[in-house]
Amino acid sequence: MTEQQLADFRRRLSNGKVSPDKVSTEWAFQRAWNEGIEFCERQLEAVLRGKDAA
């Protein structure tokens, strides 16, 4: 993955999050969605650092 592709991937992950100011009746789903994206971000960082991700 090139640096440009990595930057684009990070941007796409970040843009996929639901802003807390857009709370709706589906907020439980939206919060879980954000947690899933944050998990992906943590795993990506672990891979880039060469650490064993759990």
Side-chain angles (χ1 to χ4, degrees):
M1 182 177 280
T2 68
E3 289 295 322
Q4 180 61 38
Q5 289 171 319
L6 183 57
D8 187 41
F9 182 69
R10 285 181 169 148
R11 180 184 54 78
R12 288 172 181 251
L13 281 176
S14 181
N15 288 344
K17 290 182 181 177
V18 178
S19 177
D21 66 339
K22 294 184 179 177
V23 174
S24 72
T25 57
E26 296 182 0
W27 178 240
F29 170 80
Q30 293 165 337
R31 187 178 65 223
W33 179 265
N34 285 351
E35 289 174 7
I37 291 173
E38 290 164 7
F39 174 81
C40 291
E41 292 170 334
R42 287 191 306 272
Q43 297 308 304
L44 175 62
E45 289 305 316
V47 167
L48 292 174
R49 289 188 191 119
K51 295 183 179 179
D52 189 17

